[in-house]
Amino acid sequence: MTTKLFGEPVRRREDARLIIGKGRYLDDIGHNALAAAFVRSPHAHARITAIDTDGALDVEGLVAIYTYEDLHGPMAEPLPVLIPHPQLHHPRTGYPLANGIVNHVGEPIVMVVATDRYIAEDAAERILVSYEELPVVVGVDAAREAANWVHEDVPTNVAAHHHQETGDVEAALAGSTRTMSFTQYIERSACTPMEGKGVHARWDADDSSLRVYTSTQASTSVRAAIAAKLELSLDKVEVIAPDVGGGFGVKIVHPWPEELLIPLAAIALGAEVKWTEDRREHFISSAHERQQRQEITVGYDDDGRISALDVHIWHDNGAYTPYGIIVPIVTATQLVGPYVIPTYRVRVESVYTNTVIVTPYRGAGRPQGCYAMERTMDRIADELDLDRAVVRERNLIQADQFPYDHHLTFQDGRPVIYDSGDYVGLMDKLKVLVGWPEASRLRDEAAARGKLLGVGMAMYVEGTGPGPYEGGHVQVLGSGKVLVSTGLTSQGQGHETAFAQIVASELGVPIEDIEVTTGDTRRFGYAVGTFASRAAVMSGNAIALAARGVKEKALRIAADVLEVDPGDLEIDEGLVQVKGTPGASIPLRTVAVLSNPLRYAFDEAAKQATQFAGPADDSKPPVAVGDAPGLEHVDYYSPIRSTFASGAHAAIVEIDPATWEIEIVKYAVVHDCGNVVNPMIVEGQVHGGVAQGVGGALYERMAYDSDGQLQNASFMDFLMPYASEIPDVVIDHQETPSPLNPLGIKGAGEAGVIPGTAAIASAIEDAVGRRISSMPISPTELYDLMRNDDSELTAAHARRSGTGAMA
Amino acid sequence: MKPAPFRYADPGTLDEVLTVLSSEGEGAKVLAGGQSLLPLLSMRLAAPATLVDINRVPGLDTVEATGDGVTVGALVRHNALLHDDAAARVQPLLARATANVAHPAIRNRGTTVGSIAHADPSGEMTSVLALTDGSVTVATPSGVETIGWRDLFVGPLETSIHGPAVVTSAYFPALPARSGTAFAEAARRKGDYAVCGGGVVVTLDADGRVAAVRAAYISVGLTPEVHDLTDAVVGQPADSADWAAAGELARTLVDPDTDLHASADYRRLLVGVLTERTLAEAAAEALGGMA
Ligand SMILES: Cc1cc2nc3c(=O)[nH]c(=O)nc-3n(C[C@H](O)[C@H](O)[C@H](O)COP(=O)(O)OP(=O)(O)OC[C@H]3O[C@@H](n4cnc5c(N)ncnc54)[C@H](O)[C@@H]3O)c2cc1C
């Protein structure tokens, strides 16, 4: 097989293992470990007046009970604010176990450790916590009204006020031919990975060292957090992400209370301790995202060209802000999408509510930004009686405008400068793919079948691959095996395959010889994590650079042996050979043996290498100054700023006007993530993203009641779509390489989810002729909208009903 | 999400099952497919002291279809009933309704009788038992009795069966002559419990005119209800009856509740639409059968 695999649809190497049950997920580890269970707050806001553990003490199998009183030193302090920001003026975080006050249902109060999880839950059930209930704030509007406060020292509930502007928006609006203002809402959903969180810790008392497995997206950072909080030396802590059954953002947050408490118990008890999150815990004590109220004013001309955009967002950040204000900043800066916005102002109030914390969920604020921008485009088109595609086209950044500077500051503190793109190309392809010009014929045809048909579209630009860095390590063994590692973690994205393809291509070795390890601090100590569509960009490039380093060294050693110039050598199929001279070659594995002057003949490889070993030069040390034994290289990739991927989606929906059931009959995606490492993996990422987009648009919401109780904390009532709810997705690719990184790639992980809500809202609005300004939407809500005489009709609706279905 | 401690017994005969149930008293629960009971246990919403597993009891896994009706044993899985052609010929509602019960994995374990014993007003098979005017056979230490559906369903998740008892079978009478059926539902996701659904039976007279119309709904009341809609369309030709009027009538007869997934009004809307649509389908089937 060829070793030039970059760009090939190589089948995912990890799938066979994962599909036949050979995966090793957190709960597969430590069958004999003690198990932890938690007593969590049943109240959204309350003062804890007493904790009575007596009833649990005689449960047979109980090992230990921990409350806040048992936490000392750094553990007794609030959890860290991972990403502080000057505009986050009132950051608040919880404690590993509640310290007197609980601020959302599900907050951990007591940890119980027992011989197994059943017994731990039996004991937990008998612990009595008394509360004095406090007023509850649920939803962004209640937080905004601030009749009650979540944190008594944060008046008005505003955690952060984020503000960016590119000019005098008031003046620009005043000078605009037309303006319009509207308010819209988007609801809470969540990552809900198939595998929840989980932690397993083992303390080696003789060695005073701790090994922790955790279902995380950031093992190196969890390691640092554990070392700091438990006051251990970093070298005595190793953290490993085993197979992780999905993350989608929730597992980038760290340290979760359990990631500190389980190691704490393991050390205190001198035993293996494990906690596996259950589904209900995941719903009420991990993280959610997406709720915003968006107040938008736009100035534009008669052709639909935008002159000014003023956006005021109320962002629900839940009870605490451990992850800073990353999500609202991403919304604020990604909102502008592929468009020229001459004057833009965005203000975000990030507000506390007595609900689960809000941290990035795939898309991380982008779906909301896209919803704001794209629905604005739809409204302009409607107002002016223009084709929605035409209005977008008139505002697109043109291909010759790159690099394009939006004069905004991104989540990584770097400028929002689009490195490359072809948005006109995306739109052209999308119109063909979805059959945009056919829309009115399709509408008539559906009407003849008694259905309301609508089409909608949405475009986005996604900043991917933010820094600061990732590293890669590539090592060729004497056996010919090539070990590759990177510190960032995998949650099923196919890293084992994609990274191996990169190394195969760079180093000229068969993919079968390559073994990839991710997220294991024993193998790679420095890493940032898997989030923000950054793994391929960051670790992909770092690994490519490491492979190039190995190649350079291999050629240098081989050149010496073959007595040629390194420039005359190439590596193919694991063989270093003189270009154009068949036979003049040396296996790469032999070069690996030669790279180490200490060559005990343990194996055949070492024996064979002896024939190549030249006479030692007595005038030089065996390892030259600046050189190192072994055929390996570590390198890092640190980008100047993010690289910007882009895409365009369109949805066609059919609605039954008797039952108001909504069906997506076609979903089209044009996707540009620069050079593609593996198109099959990218398509899989897009499919999964679209599924979550459909979920967010039509099915999922966190249904909190006014007491802060999550009423649908199970998959019975939280409607994550099944495969049966997901339409077939048609995909077209466009490849606009990034000039910023050696491989020319851009991220693809989050793309699929971003425009779903916007495109589907647009399609439903097109079908029913009523303004859709709150998403998600279900049949029962659509019915309410349709029979409400006060709900706003679109101008298109009036035109259509005036001139018949052809309008 | 782990159950509280419980004892477990899996007797090999019905007599032994009854003996264990008697000796364990109030805290004992029958375990059939476990598809409703085990989630309740795991969420600690139920904590029976003893589970009496009936899966080893012989003879309970048969479907018996005669000209009069279909008897479904307590261990017949939804999936077996779904694919039982003989049963479908005698009472077509059985296959039509079971096709709407959950997903294949759950249908492979869950039993039709268990779902009736569970008395969930959103369960398809409770409504089919009602619509067909069916009954269950119950074994108790003092003997065997038959309970008609009207006496069986008392409230949501509540039947009139108390004390040591095992439902050994459910009986669904055959479809009357010159009749057609249909079953439809609206669910948020395919295979979910319906937001609203229902089955209908349309019976024609010898001239192909509507003689009787009965409908039963799920997820719209506390217990399964059967509504007679005959008045709206009686005597009308089956191929052109005013099914919308029957739908209208149905809307006035139901009293649904609001929950997370649907408002009461929306459910009422669906009752009307589904009734109209299923009646037309059932009438066409009845006519086809007469041709
Ligand atoms: C995800 C999911 C989706 C589902 N969707 C649907 C759906 O759409 N429609 C639907 O109808 N059902 C649905 N179900 C429930 C499923 O149909 C169950 O199989 C059924 O409700 C109960 O049957 P079982 O054999 O599993 O009973 P079990 O769970 O074993 O028992 C249920 C109850 O009935 C009692 N019981 C069972 N058998 C007997 C007996 N022979 N005598 C006396 N008491 C008995 C038990 O003691 C218990 O109280 C769903 C279940 C799940 C998990």
Side-chain angles (χ1 to χ4, degrees), chain B residues 17 35 37 39 49 56 67 71-72 80-81 101 124 132-133 135-136 142 153 169 172 174 227 248 256 273 280:
Chain B
V17 168
Q35 299 303 295
L37 187 54
R56 287 211 304 128
T71 304
V72 179
L81 190 56
V101 175
E124 284 77 5
T132 58
D133 210 10
S135 58
V136 293
S142 51
F153 299 121
S169 66
F172 302 89
H227 295 289
E248 270 311 308
V273 176

Side-chain angles (χ1 to χ4, degrees), chain A residues 313-641:
Chain A
I313 290 168
W314 294 83
H315 170 84
D316 170 8
N317 59 224
Y320 301 111
T321 50
Y323 212 71
I325 51 171
I326 291 296
V327 174
I329 295 178
V330 171
T331 299
T333 51
Q334 299 266 265
L335 189 148
V336 288
Y339 307 111
V340 174
I341 308 293
T343 308
Y344 174 55
R345 176 172 71 178
V346 59
R347 290 169 294 165
V348 188
E349 323 297 332
S350 188
V351 293
Y352 287 113
T353 57
N354 291 113
T355 57
V356 171
I357 59 168
V358 168
T359 64
Y361 157 35
R362 196 179 199 173
R366 295 176 186 84
Q368 298 95 311
C370 179
Y371 176 61
M373 186 75 249
E374 294 297 313
R375 301 297 289 139
T376 302
M377 289 293 173
D378 289 341
R379 286 186 188 243
I380 293 172
D382 188 46
E383 194 64 35
L384 298 175
D385 189 14
L386 290 171
D387 183 340
R388 285 166 289 165
V390 169
V391 170
R392 286 173 169 82
E393 282 163 345
R394 288 182 180 160
N395 288 286
L396 286 178
I397 296 164
Q398 301 297 305
D400 60 5
Q401 289 177 280
F402 292 93
Y404 185 85
D405 189 348
H406 266 298
H407 301 289
L408 297 167
T409 304
F410 199 38
Q411 52 149 327
D412 54 5
R414 304 269 163 149
V416 178
I417 299 176
Y418 293 174
D419 48 336
S420 65
D422 178 4
Y423 307 146
V424 176
L426 290 176
M427 177 59 102
D428 288 346
K429 284 191 160 70
L430 183 71
K431 286 191 294 189
V432 173
L433 196 61
V434 77
W436 189 259
E438 302 289 291
S440 91
R441 185 184 59 75
L442 292 175
R443 186 178 297 117
D444 293 344
E445 187 258 335
R449 288 183 283 114
K451 292 282 174 70
L452 303 173
L453 180 143
V455 300
M457 61 164 55
M459 302 182 76
Y460 68 93
V461 173
E462 184 202 354
T464 69
Y469 66 82
E470 274 319 320
H473 176 233
V474 176
Q475 179 179 22
V476 183
L477 300 182
S479 63
K481 277 240 166 307
V482 180
L483 303 182
V484 179
S485 75
T486 183
L488 68 58
T489 57
S490 301
Q491 300 86 44
Q493 295 91 338
H495 295 160
E496 278 179 58
T497 307
F499 294 158
Q501 284 179 257
I502 290 172
V503 172
S505 295
E506 292 289 340
L507 201 53
V509 294
I511 195 165
E512 294 76 14
D513 290 345
I514 301 172
E515 278 175 18
V516 177
T517 302
T518 59
D520 184 338
T521 66
R522 296 171 300 181
R523 292 287 302 279
F524 210 97
Y526 289 93
V528 182
T530 300
F531 59 96
S533 304
R534 68 192 294 283
V537 178
M538 299 302 304
S539 283
N541 278 292
I543 286 168
L545 294 174
R548 287 175 194 182
V550 167
K551 182 175 181 180
E552 192 191 311
K553 181 166 186 179
L555 295 189
R556 175 162 53 79
I557 295 169
D560 220 29
V561 174
L562 298 172
E563 297 176 334
V564 293
D565 188 87
D568 294 333
L569 293 173
E570 62 184 6
I571 310 179
D572 192 28
E573 294 289 337
L575 205 61
V576 189
Q577 59 200 29
V578 181
K579 288 180 202 161
T581 314
S585 65
I586 175 172
L588 187 62
R589 64 181 141 79
T590 308
V591 177
V593 176
L594 292 174
S595 69
N596 183 354
L598 184 64
R599 254 189 320 275
Y600 295 126
F602 291 131
D603 55 14
E604 279 308 305
K607 285 181 208 153
Q608 280 169 15
T610 331
Q611 56 175 310
F612 289 97
D617 181 345
D618 290 345
S619 67
K620 291 183 186 151
V623 177
V625 174
D627 204 353
L631 185 51
E632 63 181 323
H633 192 75
V634 172
D635 215 330
Y636 289 85
Y637 171 62
S638 180
I640 186 83
R641 58 181 167 266

